[in-house]
């Protein structure tokens, strides 16, 4: 039963601080994780809300799955998962044209995402690659739930015991975590390991701010998600340093661990999926190169010519803003928000490929959004202590932030079906029929917009035709299946290019056509002995 003071917290709640430069600090208090009063009610409501969210995401994922709306990214991960699950412990990724026309490399050389090996154990329970989407949806709901718990615990111990209305901030936190559109965009675009890294990162931050050593186990889990995830630890380390003396030393450890892991991944010959020189070399006039030497050359070049960085950020400002605005923006004034925004949003915005800061790459930017939202709580606890007007300011600012989140959500959530639901039910049925006619050991070359459902194969290549000289694809099997969808799916090739490819396979290669409709053309081809590749003209 609560009193008019609305669930007074423990005496340790008195631990709170703010820095002189305006960045809101969060101070850990060991063992203070109990929620009291109406915050406990917010937590209970949040548990139900995120279970419902997870169920909704599963329904949506099944819809995308049944429509074959899964692209080459899903093909990459499902290919590795299928191989690991069937005992091929050194799976090869063939969907990425690394040093085109050479395709593929061992999966571990992509981002050193070793967490895929324990995920492969799920194959014992169910061999369908839909398992990966189930994992992702559960993780996305878990991010919201763990973020809510972390934020409520910060609120529990930082809100002044003499001031009421802290429930308002708890409800605000729950609302923004549910309404921010990028969880739904992430669930709509294939499968990626970044959400798993974000969940582990939130758990790491929560335990770190609660003074628990268990935080380092979560940090190890983040590292298992690869080199990109390791950069998240750097962001969390920056946040911990900015938060004050109590977390500064651990923050420096996190920064060091994150930097070490990124360098280590490159040094052992992995990190090919990141391609630092290819992604950021343009800022330092470095056009190629791999390994640790190239990495430091790029970093050194950027440090000596920082004006190019600001020019790029200026041109991509609106892309950055949409992610910040979806959190209510106020978290940008917190240590948690600053640290993750610098490492995640800024680095993605500087990538040579603009897609990394685009809406479709929401999974790449989700870590920043989540920590900006949680950081908003620490901003409110700072604001409420600003004299008599503090509580009123919390009401006003939280209202404005909530309206901003609603505006961004209503702008971006309705775009999801048009962006990702590209294959109609008739085409999906024809693709399912084509899939049933392809031998299990056959190599598959498929339009990249629908290739994800064919991911459980050791030889899998996307038809893109996005190279200047057309596309040359290796032939590695005595049986090759072609699956073309010219007019639907998220495709790189134009309909005209795909129709030309269909004519080449049918008339020049003499492949057997097993499905022939206006939407789907599927062929089985037995290449002549000695055939090493097949070429499609631009």
């Amino acid at each position: 039963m609560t009193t008019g003071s609305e669930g007074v917290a423990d005496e340790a709640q008195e631990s709170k601080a703010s820095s002189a430069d305006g960045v809101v600090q969060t101070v850990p208090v060991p063992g203070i994780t109990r929620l009291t009063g109406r915050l406990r009610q917010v937590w209970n409501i949040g548990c139900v809300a995120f279970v419902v969210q997870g169920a909704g995401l599963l329904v949506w994922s099944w819809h995308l799955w049944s429509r074959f709306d899964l692209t080459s990214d899903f093909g990459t991960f499902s290919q590795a998962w299928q191989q690991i699950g069937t005992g091929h412990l050194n799976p090869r990724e063939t969907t990425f044209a690394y040093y085109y026309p050479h395709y593929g490399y061992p999966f571990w050389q992509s981002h050193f995402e070793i967490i895929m090996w324990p995920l492969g154990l799920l194959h014992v329970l169910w061999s369908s690659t839909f398992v990966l989407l189930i994992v992702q949806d559960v993780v996305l709901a878990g991010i919201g739930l763990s973020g809510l718990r972390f934020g409520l615990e910060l609120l529990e111990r930082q809100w002044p015991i003499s001031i009421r209305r802290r429930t308002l901030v708890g409800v605000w936190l729950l609302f923004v975590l549910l309404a921010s559109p990028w969880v739904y965009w992430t669930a709509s675009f294939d499968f990626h390991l970044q959400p798993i890294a974000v969940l582990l990162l939130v758990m790491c931050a929560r335990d770190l701010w609660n003074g628990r050593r268990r935080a380092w186990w979560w940090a190890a889990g983040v590292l298992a998600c690869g080199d990109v995830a390791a950069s998240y630890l750097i962001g969390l380390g920056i946040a911990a340093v900015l938060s004050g003396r109590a977390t500064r030393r651990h923050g420096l450890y996190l920064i060091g661990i994150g930097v070490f892991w990124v360098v280590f991944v490159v040094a052992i010959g992995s990190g090919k999926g990141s391609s630092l020189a290819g992604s950021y070399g343009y800022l330092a006039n470095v056009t190629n190169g791999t390994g640790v030497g190239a990495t430091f050359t790029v970093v050194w070049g950027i440090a000596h010519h920082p004006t190019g960085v600001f020019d790029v950020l200026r041109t991509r400002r609106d892309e950055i803003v949409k992610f910040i605005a979806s959190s209510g923006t106020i978290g940008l004034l917190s240590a948690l928000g600053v640290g993750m925004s610098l490492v995640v949003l800024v680095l993605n915005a500087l990538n040579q490929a603009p897609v990394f800061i685009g809406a479709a790459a929401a999974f790449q930017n989700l870590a920043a959004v989540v920590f900006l939202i949680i950081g908003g709580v620490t901003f409110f606890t700072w604001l409420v202590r600003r004299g008599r007007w503090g509580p009123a300011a919390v009401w006003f600012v939280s209202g404005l932030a909530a309206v901003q989140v609603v505006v961004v959500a209503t702008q971006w959530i309705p775009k999801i079906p048009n962006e990702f639901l590209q294959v109609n039910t008739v085409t999906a049925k024809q693709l399912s029929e084509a899939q049933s006619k392809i031998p299990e050991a056959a190599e598959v070359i498929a339009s990249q917009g629908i290739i994800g459902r064919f991911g459980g194969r050791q030889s899998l290549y996307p038809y893109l035709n996005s190279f200047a000289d057309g596309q040359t694809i290796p032939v590695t099997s005595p049986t090759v299946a072609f699956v073309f969808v010219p007019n639907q799916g998220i495709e790189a090739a134009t309909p005209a290019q795909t129709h030309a490819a269909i004519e080449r396979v049918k008339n020049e290669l003499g492949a057997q056509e097993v499905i022939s409709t206006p939407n789907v053309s599927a062929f089985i081809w037995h290449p002549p002995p000695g055939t090493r590749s097949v070429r499609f003209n631009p």
Side-chain angles (χ1 to χ4, degrees):
M1 184 173 182
T2 61
T3 65
S5 61
E6 194 201 2
V8 176
D10 304 55
E11 292 181 2
Q13 180 179 265
E14 291 295 332
S15 177
K16 45 192 176 282
S18 61
S19 65
D21 60 3
V23 176
V24 180
Q25 299 177 345
T26 54
V27 181
V29 181
I32 303 302
T33 59
R34 182 172 60 88
L35 300 178
T36 61
R38 293 180 183 173
L39 289 187
R40 183 67 187 179
Q41 296 175 16
V42 174
W43 167 248
N44 291 335
I45 293 171
C47 289
V48 175
F50 286 112
V51 168
V52 173
Q53 183 194 61
L57 293 177
L58 284 170
V59 171
W60 175 243
S61 292
W62 178 257
H63 192 52
L64 292 169
W65 167 271
S66 63
R67 291 283 194 94
F68 280 73
D69 274 304
L70 297 166
T71 69
S72 55
D73 279 18
F74 188 81
T76 296
F77 288 106
S78 59
Q79 182 185 49
W81 181 82
Q82 183 80 11
Q83 290 182 61
I84 293 170
T86 54
H88 301 279
L89 299 184
N90 187 21
R92 186 171 180 82
E93 174 185 331
T94 63
T95 58
F96 181 54
Y98 183 70
Y99 284 154
Y100 173 81
H102 303 291
Y103 277 80
Y105 42 72
F107 179 77
W108 69 268
Q109 292 183 4
S110 180
H111 293 283
F112 204 57
E113 296 160 315
I114 55 179
I115 199 170
M116 183 58 76
W117 275 258
L119 283 178
L121 296 175
L122 295 175
H123 191 276
V124 177
L125 302 177
W126 192 14
S127 61
S128 172
T129 54
F130 182 68
V131 167
L132 294 178
L133 296 182
I134 296 175
V135 169
Q136 180 167 264
D137 292 337
V138 171
V139 164
L140 288 171
I143 289 171
L145 195 60
S146 59
L148 177 65
R149 184 72 189 197
F150 182 27
L152 291 178
E153 288 172 357
L154 291 173
L155 184 60
E156 176 77 50
R157 57 177 186 260
Q158 292 184 11
W159 192 269
I161 60 176
S162 60
I163 300 177
R164 302 170 58 185
R165 308 299 183 186
R166 63 178 182 162
T167 305
L168 168 70
V169 178
V171 172
W172 178 91
L173 173 64
L174 173 59
F175 169 76
V176 178
L177 285 170
L178 287 169
S180 188
W182 308 119
V183 164
Y184 308 103
W185 275 76
T186 298
S188 301
F189 183 22
D190 292 355
F191 168 87
H192 299 91
L193 290 172
Q194 280 86 343
I196 298 178
V198 174
L199 175 60
L200 296 171
L201 190 74
V202 174
M203 301 298 288
C204 175
R206 180 191 169 213
D207 279 344
L208 189 67
W209 262 254
N210 284 329
R212 290 177 170 173
R213 294 181 179 178
R214 187 175 58 188
W216 301 108
W217 289 105
W218 298 122
V222 174
L223 295 179
C225 294
D227 55 353
V228 174
S231 70
Y232 298 167
L233 284 183
I234 299 174
L236 183 60
I238 293 173
V241 169
L242 293 176
S243 285
R245 187 185 311 167
T247 55
R248 187 169 295 138
R249 180 167 54 90
H250 290 152
L252 293 173
Y253 289 160
L254 287 174
I255 294 172
I257 291 170
V259 171
F260 167 80
W261 197 255
V262 171
V263 174
F264 169 75
V265 168
V266 174
I268 63 175
S270 186
K272 293 179 178 178
S274 298
S275 182
L276 184 64
S279 298
Y280 301 100
Y282 76 103
L283 295 168
N285 296 319
V286 176
T287 57
N288 54 53
T290 59
V292 176
T295 299
F296 282 110
T297 299
V298 171
V299 173
W300 183 260
I302 292 174
H304 275 66
H305 302 283
T307 56
V309 170
F310 297 112
D311 290 340
V312 174
L313 292 178
R314 191 179 303 112
T315 61
R316 297 178 182 176
R317 178 187 56 196
D318 292 344
E319 298 296 323
I320 300 172
V321 166
K322 70 177 182 292
F323 289 110
I324 297 175
S326 70
S327 69
T329 302
I330 53 176
L332 199 59
L333 299 174
S334 71
L336 288 170
V338 168
M340 296 307 298
S341 295
L342 284 174
V343 171
V344 178
L345 295 182
V346 171
L347 288 185
N348 285 335
L350 290 175
N351 196 296
Q352 186 172 18
V355 68
F356 281 86
I357 195 65
F363 67 94
Q364 298 275 15
N365 300 283
L366 187 61
V369 174
V370 171
F371 278 86
L372 281 166
I373 294 171
I374 300 171
V377 171
T378 66
F379 172 79
F380 285 130
T381 61
W382 171 85
L383 185 61
V384 78
R385 297 192 296 271
R386 301 304 98 188
R388 289 186 176 182
W389 55 268
V394 170
W395 278 91
F396 180 73
V397 175
S398 64
L400 288 180
V403 169
Q404 184 180 62
V405 172
V406 169
V407 170
V408 176
T410 54
Q411 178 185 2
W412 286 101
I413 291 178
K415 294 181 180 181
I416 292 175
N418 290 334
E419 182 78 17
F420 296 105
L421 199 59
Q422 297 284 332
V423 180
N424 62 35
T425 54
V426 173
T427 301
K429 184 177 180 180
Q430 295 163 356
L431 285 168
S432 181
E433 182 181 355
Q435 189 178 45
S436 67
K437 296 183 178 182
I438 298 175
E440 288 188 8
E443 172 184 329
V444 172
I445 300 172
S447 295
Q448 82 96 26
I450 52 88
I451 197 173
R453 279 288 302 273
F454 298 88
R457 296 176 179 273
Q458 293 191 31
S459 295
L460 180 70
Y461 300 92
Y463 171 71
L464 300 165
N465 210 345
S466 58
F467 304 99
D469 61 345
Q471 185 177 8
T472 300
I473 300 176
V475 171
T476 60
S477 173
T479 302
V480 179
F482 298 89
V483 183
F484 296 110
V485 180
N487 302 310
Q488 298 181 37
I490 303 173
E491 299 296 347
T494 65
Q497 288 174 322
T498 305
H499 282 296
I502 292 171
E503 290 301 313
R504 167 159 170 67
V505 171
K506 182 178 180 180
N507 298 323
E508 297 181 34
L509 299 184
Q512 175 191 358
E513 194 166 24
V514 294
I515 297 290
S516 178
T517 72
N519 297 325
V520 178
S521 293
F523 302 87
I524 299 295
W525 179 48
H526 300 286
T531 303
R532 294 290 178 264
S533 64
V534 58
R535 175 178 170 77
F536 297 99
N537 295 323

